[in-house]
Coordinates of all heavy atoms in Angstrom, one line a residue:
M26 N 8.4 -2.7 6.7 CA 8.4 -1.8 5.6 C 8.5 -2.5 4.3 O 9.5 -3.3 4.1 CB 9.5 -0.8 5.8 CG 9.7 0.2 4.7 SD 10.9 1.5 5.0 CE 9.7 2.8 5.4
P27 N 7.7 -2.2 3.3 CA 7.7 -3.0 2.1 C 9.0 -3.0 1.3 O 9.3 -4.0 0.7 CB 6.6 -2.4 1.3 CG 5.6 -1.8 2.3 CD 6.6 -1.3 3.4
G28 N 9.7 -1.9 1.3 CA 11.0 -1.9 0.5 C 12.1 -2.6 1.1 O 13.1 -2.9 0.5
R29 N 12.0 -2.9 2.4 CA 13.1 -3.6 3.1 C 12.9 -5.1 2.9 O 11.8 -5.6 2.6 CB 13.0 -3.2 4.5 CG 13.2 -1.7 4.7 CD 13.9 -1.4 6.0 NE 14.0 0.0 6.2 CZ 15.1 0.7 5.9 NH1 16.1 0.1 5.3 NH2 15.2 2.0 6.1
P30 N 14.0 -5.9 3.2 CA 13.8 -7.3 3.1 C 12.7 -7.8 4.1 O 12.6 -7.3 5.2 CB 15.2 -7.8 3.6 CG 16.1 -6.7 3.3 CD 15.3 -5.4 3.5
V31 N 11.9 -8.7 3.6 CA 10.8 -9.2 4.4 C 11.4 -10.2 5.4 O 12.0 -11.2 5.0 CB 9.7 -9.8 3.6 CG1 8.6 -10.5 4.4 CG2 9.2 -8.8 2.6
R32 N 11.1 -10.1 6.7 CA 11.6 -11.0 7.7 C 10.5 -12.0 8.0 O 9.3 -11.7 7.9 CB 12.0 -10.2 8.9 CG 13.0 -9.1 8.6 CD 14.1 -8.9 9.6 NE 14.9 -7.8 9.3 CZ 15.9 -7.7 8.5 NH1 16.2 -8.8 7.8 NH2 16.6 -6.6 8.4
G33 N 10.9 -13.1 8.5 CA 9.9 -14.1 8.9 C 9.4 -15.0 7.8 O 8.5 -15.8 8.0
Q34 N 9.8 -14.7 6.6 CA 9.4 -15.5 5.4 C 10.4 -16.7 5.3 O 11.6 -16.4 4.9 CB 9.4 -14.7 4.1 CG 8.4 -13.5 4.1 CD 7.0 -14.0 4.0 OE1 6.8 -15.0 3.5 NE2 6.1 -13.1 4.5
S35 N 10.0 -17.9 5.6 CA 10.9 -19.0 5.5 C 10.8 -19.6 4.2 O 9.8 -20.0 3.7 CB 10.6 -20.0 6.6 OG 9.3 -20.5 6.4
S36 N 12.0 -19.5 3.5 CA 12.0 -20.1 2.1 C 13.5 -20.3 1.8 O 14.4 -19.5 2.2 CB 11.4 -19.1 1.1 OG 11.6 -19.6 -0.2
D37 N 13.7 -21.3 1.0 CA 15.1 -21.6 0.5 C 15.3 -20.9 -0.9 O 16.3 -21.1 -1.5 CB 15.4 -23.0 0.6 CG 14.6 -23.8 -0.4 OD1 13.5 -23.3 -0.9 OD2 14.9 -25.0 -0.6
R38 N 14.3 -20.2 -1.3 CA 14.4 -19.5 -2.6 C 14.7 -18.0 -2.4 O 14.3 -17.4 -1.5 CB 13.0 -19.6 -3.3 CG 12.6 -21.1 -3.4 CD 13.3 -21.8 -4.5 NE 12.8 -23.1 -4.6 CZ 13.4 -24.1 -5.1 NH1 14.6 -24.0 -5.5 NH2 12.9 -25.3 -5.2
T39 N 15.4 -17.5 -3.4 CA 15.6 -16.0 -3.5 C 14.4 -15.5 -4.3 O 14.0 -16.0 -5.3 CB 16.9 -15.7 -4.2 OG1 18.0 -16.3 -3.5 CG2 17.1 -14.2 -4.3
W40 N 13.8 -14.4 -3.8 CA 12.6 -13.8 -4.4 C 12.6 -12.3 -4.3 O 13.2 -11.7 -3.5 CB 11.3 -14.4 -3.7 CG 11.3 -14.1 -2.2 CD1 11.8 -15.0 -1.3 CD2 10.8 -13.0 -1.6 NE1 11.6 -14.4 0.0 CE2 11.0 -13.2 -0.2 CE3 10.2 -11.8 -2.1 CZ2 10.6 -12.2 0.7 CZ3 9.8 -10.9 -1.1 CH2 10.0 -11.1 0.3
V41 N 11.8 -11.8 -5.2 CA 11.5 -10.4 -5.3 C 10.0 -10.2 -5.7 O 9.6 -11.0 -6.6 CB 12.4 -9.5 -6.2 CG1 12.4 -10.0 -7.6 CG2 12.1 -8.0 -6.1
I42 N 9.3 -9.3 -5.1 CA 7.9 -9.1 -5.5 C 7.8 -7.7 -6.2 O 8.2 -6.7 -5.6 CB 6.9 -9.2 -4.3 CG1 7.0 -10.6 -3.7 CG2 5.5 -8.8 -4.7 CD1 6.3 -10.7 -2.4
V43 N 7.3 -7.7 -7.4 CA 7.0 -6.4 -8.1 C 5.5 -6.2 -8.2 O 4.8 -7.1 -8.7 CB 7.7 -6.4 -9.5 CG1 7.3 -5.2 -10.2 CG2 9.2 -6.5 -9.4
R44 N 5.1 -5.1 -7.6 CA 3.6 -4.9 -7.6 C 3.2 -3.7 -8.4 O 3.3 -2.5 -8.0 CB 3.2 -4.7 -6.1 CG 3.6 -5.9 -5.2 CD 2.8 -6.0 -4.0 NE 1.4 -6.1 -4.3 CZ 0.4 -6.0 -3.4 NH1 0.8 -5.9 -2.1 NH2 -0.8 -6.0 -3.7
P45 N 2.8 -3.9 -9.6 CA 2.5 -2.8 -10.5 C 1.1 -2.3 -10.2 O 0.3 -3.0 -9.6 CB 2.5 -3.4 -11.9 CG 2.2 -4.9 -11.7 CD 2.8 -5.2 -10.3
V46 N 0.8 -1.1 -10.6 CA -0.5 -0.5 -10.5 C -1.3 -1.0 -11.7 O -0.9 -2.0 -12.3 CB -0.4 1.1 -10.5 CG1 0.2 1.5 -9.2 CG2 0.4 1.6 -11.7
S47 N -2.3 -0.3 -12.1 CA -3.2 -0.8 -13.3 C -2.3 -0.9 -14.5 O -1.6 0.0 -14.9 CB -4.3 0.2 -13.5 OG -5.1 0.3 -12.4
L48 N -2.5 -2.0 -15.2 CA -1.7 -2.3 -16.4 C -2.3 -1.8 -17.7 O -3.5 -1.7 -17.8 CB -1.5 -3.8 -16.5 CG -0.7 -4.5 -15.4 CD1 -0.8 -6.0 -15.6 CD2 0.7 -4.0 -15.4
T49 N -1.5 -1.3 -18.6 CA -1.9 -0.8 -19.9 C -1.2 -1.6 -20.9 O -0.1 -2.2 -20.7 CB -1.7 0.7 -20.1 OG1 -0.3 0.9 -20.3 CG2 -2.2 1.5 -19.0
D50 N -1.7 -1.6 -22.2 CA -1.0 -2.2 -23.3 C -0.2 -1.2 -24.1 O 0.3 -1.5 -25.2 CB -2.0 -2.9 -24.2 CG -2.7 -4.0 -23.6 OD1 -1.9 -4.8 -22.9 OD2 -3.9 -4.3 -23.9
D51 N -0.1 0.0 -23.6 CA 0.7 1.1 -24.3 C 2.2 0.7 -24.3 O 2.7 0.0 -23.4 CB 0.6 2.4 -23.5 CG -0.9 2.9 -23.4 OD1 -1.6 2.6 -24.3 OD2 -1.1 3.6 -22.4
P52 N 2.9 1.2 -25.4 CA 4.3 0.9 -25.4 C 5.0 1.6 -24.3 O 4.6 2.7 -23.9 CB 4.8 1.5 -26.7 CG 3.5 2.0 -27.4 CD 2.4 1.9 -26.5
G53 N 6.0 1.0 -23.7 CA 6.7 1.6 -22.6 C 7.7 2.7 -23.1 O 8.3 2.5 -24.1
S54 N 7.9 3.7 -22.3 CA 8.8 4.7 -22.6 C 10.2 4.4 -22.0 O 11.3 5.0 -22.3 CB 8.4 6.1 -22.0 OG 8.4 6.0 -20.6
G55 N 10.3 3.4 -21.1 CA 11.5 3.1 -20.4 C 11.7 3.8 -19.1 O 12.7 3.6 -18.4
N56 N 10.7 4.6 -18.7 CA 10.8 5.5 -17.5 C 9.7 5.0 -16.5 O 8.6 4.9 -16.9 CB 10.6 7.0 -17.8 CG 11.7 7.5 -18.7 OD1 12.9 7.1 -18.5 ND2 11.4 8.3 -19.6
V57 N 10.1 4.9 -15.2 CA 9.3 4.4 -14.3 C 9.5 5.1 -12.9 O 10.5 5.9 -12.8 CB 9.5 2.8 -14.0 CG1 9.2 2.0 -15.2 CG2 10.9 2.6 -13.5
E58 N 8.7 4.8 -12.0 CA 8.8 5.2 -10.6 C 8.7 4.0 -9.7 O 7.7 3.3 -9.9 CB 7.7 6.3 -10.2 CG 7.9 6.7 -8.8 CD 6.8 7.7 -8.4 OE1 6.3 8.5 -9.2 OE2 6.3 7.7 -7.2
L59 N 9.6 3.8 -8.8 CA 9.6 2.6 -7.9 C 9.4 3.1 -6.5 O 10.0 4.2 -6.2 CB 10.9 1.8 -8.1 CG 11.2 1.3 -9.5 CD1 12.5 0.5 -9.4 CD2 10.1 0.5 -10.0
S60 N 8.7 2.4 -5.7 CA 8.5 2.9 -4.3 C 8.4 1.7 -3.4 O 8.1 0.6 -3.8 CB 7.1 3.6 -4.3 OG 6.8 4.0 -3.0
A61 N 8.7 1.9 -2.1 CA 8.7 0.9 -1.1 C 7.2 0.9 -0.5 O 6.8 0.0 0.2 CB 9.6 1.2 0.0
D62 N 6.4 1.9 -0.9 CA 5.1 2.1 -0.4 C 4.1 1.9 -1.6 O 4.4 2.3 -2.7 CB 4.9 3.4 0.3 CG 5.8 3.6 1.5 OD1 5.8 2.6 2.3 OD2 6.5 4.6 1.5
P63 N 2.9 1.5 -1.3 CA 1.9 1.4 -2.4 C 1.7 2.7 -3.1 O 1.7 3.8 -2.4 CB 0.6 1.0 -1.6 CG 1.1 0.3 -0.4 CD 2.3 1.0 0.0
V64 N 1.5 2.7 -4.4 CA 1.2 3.8 -5.3 C 0.0 3.6 -6.1 O -0.5 2.4 -6.2 CB 2.5 4.1 -6.1 CG1 3.7 4.5 -5.3 CG2 2.8 2.9 -7.0
S65 N -0.5 4.6 -6.8 CA -1.6 4.5 -7.7 C -1.1 5.0 -9.0 O -0.1 5.6 -9.2 CB -2.8 5.2 -7.2 OG -2.5 6.6 -7.0
G66 N -1.9 4.7 -10.0 CA -1.6 5.2 -11.4 C -1.7 4.1 -12.4 O -2.5 3.1 -12.2
K67 N -1.0 4.2 -13.5 CA -1.0 3.2 -14.5 C 0.5 2.9 -14.9 O 1.4 3.7 -14.7 CB -1.7 3.7 -15.8 CG -3.2 3.9 -15.5 CD -3.9 4.3 -16.8 CE -5.4 4.5 -16.4 NZ -6.2 4.9 -17.7
V68 N 0.7 1.7 -15.5 CA 2.0 1.4 -16.0 C 1.8 0.4 -17.1 O 0.9 -0.4 -17.1 CB 2.8 0.7 -14.8 CG1 2.3 -0.6 -14.4 CG2 4.3 0.6 -15.3
S69 N 2.7 0.5 -18.1 CA 2.6 -0.4 -19.3 C 3.2 -1.8 -18.9 O 4.1 -1.9 -18.1 CB 3.3 0.1 -20.5 OG 4.7 0.0 -20.4
R70 N 2.7 -2.8 -19.6 CA 3.3 -4.1 -19.4 C 4.7 -4.2 -19.8 O 5.6 -4.9 -19.2 CB 2.5 -5.1 -20.2 CG 1.1 -5.5 -19.6 CD 0.3 -6.3 -20.5 NE -0.9 -6.8 -19.9 CZ -2.0 -6.1 -19.7 NH1 -2.1 -4.9 -20.1 NH2 -3.1 -6.7 -19.0
D71 N 5.1 -3.3 -20.7 CA 6.6 -3.2 -21.1 C 7.4 -2.8 -19.9 O 8.5 -3.3 -19.7 CB 6.8 -2.2 -22.3 CG 6.2 -2.6 -23.6 OD1 5.8 -3.8 -23.7 OD2 6.2 -1.8 -24.5
H72 N 6.9 -1.8 -19.2 CA 7.7 -1.4 -18.0 C 7.8 -2.5 -16.9 O 8.8 -2.6 -16.3 CB 7.0 -0.1 -17.3 CG 7.1 1.1 -18.2 ND1 6.1 2.0 -18.3 CD2 8.1 1.6 -18.8 CE1 6.5 3.0 -19.0 NE2 7.7 2.8 -19.4
V73 N 6.7 -3.2 -16.7 CA 6.7 -4.3 -15.7 C 7.8 -5.3 -16.1 O 8.6 -5.7 -15.3 CB 5.3 -4.9 -15.6 CG1 5.4 -6.1 -14.6 CG2 4.3 -3.9 -15.1
A74 N 7.8 -5.7 -17.4 CA 8.8 -6.6 -17.9 C 10.2 -6.1 -17.7 O 11.1 -6.9 -17.2 CB 8.5 -7.0 -19.3
A75 N 10.4 -4.8 -18.0 CA 11.8 -4.2 -17.8 C 12.2 -4.2 -16.4 O 13.4 -4.6 -16.1 CB 11.8 -2.9 -18.4
V76 N 11.3 -3.9 -15.5 CA 11.7 -3.9 -14.1 C 11.9 -5.3 -13.6 O 12.9 -5.5 -12.8 CB 10.6 -3.1 -13.2 CG1 10.8 -3.3 -11.7 CG2 10.6 -1.6 -13.6
L77 N 11.1 -6.2 -13.9 CA 11.3 -7.6 -13.5 C 12.7 -8.1 -14.0 O 13.5 -8.7 -13.2 CB 10.3 -8.5 -14.0 CG 8.9 -8.4 -13.3 CD1 7.8 -9.2 -14.1 CD2 9.1 -9.1 -11.9
A78 N 13.0 -7.8 -15.3 CA 14.3 -8.3 -15.8 C 15.5 -7.6 -15.0 O 16.4 -8.3 -14.7 CB 14.4 -7.9 -17.3
A79 N 15.4 -6.4 -14.8 CA 16.4 -5.7 -14.1 C 16.5 -6.1 -12.6 O 17.7 -6.4 -12.1 CB 16.2 -4.1 -14.1
A80 N 15.4 -6.3 -11.9 CA 15.5 -6.7 -10.5 C 16.0 -8.1 -10.4 O 16.7 -8.4 -9.4 CB 14.0 -6.7 -10.0
L81 N 15.7 -9.0 -11.3 CA 16.2 -10.4 -11.2 C 17.7 -10.4 -11.5 O 18.4 -11.4 -11.0 CB 15.5 -11.3 -12.3 CG 14.0 -11.5 -11.9 CD1 13.4 -12.3 -13.1 CD2 13.9 -12.3 -10.6
Q82 N 18.3 -9.4 -12.1 CA 19.8 -9.4 -12.3 C 20.5 -8.7 -11.2 O 21.7 -8.7 -11.2 CB 20.1 -8.7 -13.7 CG 19.6 -9.4 -14.8 CD 20.2 -10.8 -15.0 OE1 21.4 -10.9 -14.9 NE2 19.3 -11.8 -15.2
E83 N 19.7 -8.1 -10.2 CA 20.4 -7.3 -9.2 C 20.2 -8.1 -7.8 O 19.1 -8.1 -7.3 CB 19.6 -6.0 -9.1 CG 20.0 -5.1 -7.9 CD 21.5 -4.9 -7.8 OE1 22.1 -4.2 -8.6 OE2 22.1 -5.4 -6.8
P84 N 21.3 -8.6 -7.3 CA 21.2 -9.4 -6.0 C 20.6 -8.6 -4.9 O 19.9 -9.2 -4.0 CB 22.6 -9.7 -5.7 CG 23.3 -9.7 -7.0 CD 22.6 -8.6 -7.8
R85 N 20.7 -7.3 -4.9 CA 20.2 -6.4 -3.7 C 18.7 -6.4 -3.7 O 18.1 -6.0 -2.7 CB 20.8 -5.0 -3.7 CG 22.3 -5.0 -3.5 CD 22.8 -3.6 -3.6 NE 22.6 -3.2 -5.0 CZ 22.6 -1.9 -5.4 NH1 22.8 -0.9 -4.5 NH2 22.5 -1.6 -6.6
S86 N 18.0 -6.8 -4.8 CA 16.6 -6.8 -4.9 C 16.0 -8.0 -4.2 O 14.8 -8.0 -3.9 CB 16.1 -6.6 -6.3 OG 16.4 -7.8 -7.0
A87 N 16.8 -9.0 -3.8 CA 16.2 -10.2 -3.2 C 15.5 -9.9 -1.9 O 16.0 -9.1 -1.1 CB 17.4 -11.2 -2.9
G88 N 14.4 -10.5 -1.7 CA 13.6 -10.3 -0.5 C 12.9 -9.0 -0.4 O 12.5 -8.6 0.7
R89 N 12.7 -8.3 -1.5 CA 12.0 -7.0 -1.4 C 10.7 -7.0 -2.2 O 10.5 -7.7 -3.1 CB 13.0 -5.9 -2.0 CG 14.3 -5.8 -1.2 CD 15.1 -4.6 -1.7 NE 16.4 -4.7 -1.0 CZ 16.6 -4.1 0.1 NH1 15.7 -3.5 0.8 NH2 17.9 -4.2 0.6
I90 N 9.9 -6.0 -1.8 CA 8.6 -5.7 -2.4 C 8.8 -4.4 -3.1 O 9.2 -3.4 -2.4 CB 7.5 -5.8 -1.5 CG1 7.4 -7.1 -0.9 CG2 6.2 -5.4 -2.2 CD1 6.3 -7.2 0.3
I91 N 8.6 -4.3 -4.4 CA 8.8 -3.1 -5.2 C 7.5 -2.7 -5.8 O 6.9 -3.4 -6.6 CB 9.9 -3.3 -6.3 CG1 11.2 -3.7 -5.7 CG2 10.0 -2.0 -7.1 CD1 12.2 -4.2 -6.7
Y92 N 7.0 -1.5 -5.5 CA 5.8 -1.0 -6.1 C 6.2 -0.2 -7.3 O 7.2 0.5 -7.3 CB 5.0 -0.1 -5.1 CG 4.4 -0.9 -4.0 CD1 5.1 -1.1 -2.8 CD2 3.1 -1.5 -4.1 CE1 4.6 -1.9 -1.8 CE2 2.6 -2.2 -3.1 CZ 3.3 -2.4 -1.9 OH 2.8 -3.2 -0.9
L93 N 5.4 -0.3 -8.4 CA 5.8 0.3 -9.7 C 4.7 1.0 -10.3 O 3.5 0.5 -10.4 CB 6.3 -0.9 -10.5 CG 6.4 -0.8 -12.0 CD1 7.4 0.1 -12.4 CD2 6.6 -2.2 -12.6
R94 N 5.1 2.1 -11.0 CA 4.2 2.9 -11.9 C 5.0 3.6 -12.9 O 6.2 3.7 -12.8 CB 3.3 3.8 -11.1 CG 3.9 5.0 -10.5 CD 2.9 5.9 -9.9 NE 3.6 6.9 -9.0 CZ 2.9 7.6 -8.1 NH1 1.7 7.4 -8.0 NH2 3.6 8.5 -7.3
S95 N 4.4 4.1 -13.9 CA 5.1 4.9 -14.9 C 5.6 6.2 -14.3 O 5.1 6.7 -13.3 CB 4.2 5.3 -16.1 OG 3.8 4.1 -16.8
G96 N 6.8 6.6 -14.8 CA 7.4 7.8 -14.2 C 8.3 8.5 -15.1 O 8.2 8.4 -16.3
D97 N 9.3 9.1 -14.5 CA 10.3 10.0 -15.3 C 11.8 9.5 -15.3 O 12.6 10.2 -15.8 CB 10.3 11.4 -14.8 CG 8.9 12.1 -15.0 OD1 8.2 11.8 -16.0 OD2 8.4 12.8 -14.1
T98 N 11.9 8.3 -14.6 CA 13.3 7.9 -14.4 C 13.6 6.6 -15.2 O 12.8 5.6 -15.1 CB 13.6 7.7 -12.9 OG1 13.2 8.8 -12.2 CG2 15.0 7.3 -12.7
P99 N 14.7 6.5 -15.9 CA 15.0 5.2 -16.6 C 15.0 4.0 -15.7 O 15.4 4.2 -14.4 CB 16.3 5.5 -17.2 CG 16.4 6.9 -17.4 CD 15.7 7.5 -16.2
V100 N 14.6 2.9 -16.1 CA 14.5 1.7 -15.2 C 15.8 1.4 -14.4 O 15.7 1.2 -13.2 CB 14.1 0.4 -16.0 CG1 14.2 -0.8 -15.2 CG2 12.7 0.6 -16.6
A101 N 16.9 1.4 -15.0 CA 18.1 1.0 -14.3 C 18.5 2.0 -13.2 O 18.8 1.7 -12.1 CB 19.3 1.0 -15.3
Q102 N 18.2 3.3 -13.5 CA 18.5 4.4 -12.5 C 17.5 4.3 -11.4 O 17.8 4.5 -10.2 CB 18.4 5.7 -13.2 CG 18.7 6.9 -12.3 CD 18.7 8.2 -13.0 OE1 18.6 8.3 -14.2 NE2 18.6 9.3 -12.2
A103 N 16.2 4.1 -11.7 CA 15.1 4.0 -10.8 C 15.4 2.8 -9.8 O 15.2 2.9 -8.6 CB 13.8 3.8 -11.4
L104 N 15.8 1.7 -10.3 CA 16.1 0.5 -9.5 C 17.3 0.8 -8.6 O 17.3 0.5 -7.4 CB 16.4 -0.7 -10.3 CG 16.5 -2.0 -9.5 CD1 15.4 -2.4 -8.6 CD2 16.9 -3.2 -10.4
E105 N 18.3 1.4 -9.1 CA 19.5 1.7 -8.3 C 19.1 2.7 -7.1 O 19.5 2.5 -6.0 CB 20.6 2.4 -9.2 CG 21.9 2.8 -8.4 CD 22.5 1.6 -7.7 OE1 22.6 0.5 -8.3 OE2 23.1 1.8 -6.6
T106 N 18.4 3.7 -7.5 CA 17.9 4.6 -6.4 C 17.0 4.0 -5.4 O 17.2 4.2 -4.2 CB 17.2 5.8 -7.1 OG1 18.0 6.5 -8.0 CG2 16.7 6.8 -6.1
F107 N 16.1 3.2 -5.9 CA 15.2 2.4 -5.0 C 16.0 1.6 -4.0 O 15.8 1.6 -2.8 CB 14.3 1.5 -5.7 CG 13.4 0.6 -4.9 CD1 12.3 1.1 -4.2 CD2 13.8 -0.7 -4.7 CE1 11.6 0.2 -3.4 CE2 13.1 -1.6 -3.9 CZ 12.0 -1.1 -3.2
L108 N 17.0 0.8 -4.5 CA 17.8 -0.1 -3.6 C 18.7 0.7 -2.7 O 18.8 0.3 -1.5 CB 18.6 -1.1 -4.5 CG 17.8 -2.0 -5.3 CD1 18.6 -2.8 -6.3 CD2 17.0 -3.0 -4.4
A109 N 19.3 1.8 -3.2 CA 20.1 2.6 -2.3 C 19.2 3.2 -1.1 O 19.6 3.3 0.0 CB 20.8 3.7 -3.1
D110 N 18.1 3.8 -1.5 CA 17.2 4.4 -0.5 C 16.6 3.4 0.5 O 16.5 3.7 1.7 CB 16.0 5.1 -1.2 CG 16.4 6.4 -2.0 OD1 17.6 6.8 -1.8 OD2 15.6 6.9 -2.7
S111 N 16.2 2.2 0.0 CA 15.6 1.2 0.9 C 16.7 0.5 1.8 O 16.3 -0.1 2.7 CB 14.8 0.2 0.1 OG 15.5 -0.5 -0.7
A112 N 17.9 0.7 1.5 CA 19.0 0.1 2.3 C 19.3 1.0 3.5 O 19.9 0.5 4.4 CB 20.2 -0.2 1.4
S113 N 19.0 2.3 3.4 CA 19.4 3.1 4.5 C 18.3 3.2 5.5 O 17.3 2.8 5.5 CB 19.7 4.5 3.9 OG 18.7 5.0 3.1

């Protein structure tokens, strides 16, 4: 499952993969939708940068694949919800 830690990946590095949908140059609103499954839509480059910055500061995001599009939830809250949901 994409939102769960990827098993069988041998690496001595900590990693997270953020997979955005179609990118735009629009200013970000700060609200996103994160998913463990592929999504469609659009997302601003601002949102991608914000999610990357937040995910890199969150140890629980290590070894996860995060699909990203614009949404209605602030980045920090969306990441917290994503990590809590994908841990269960």
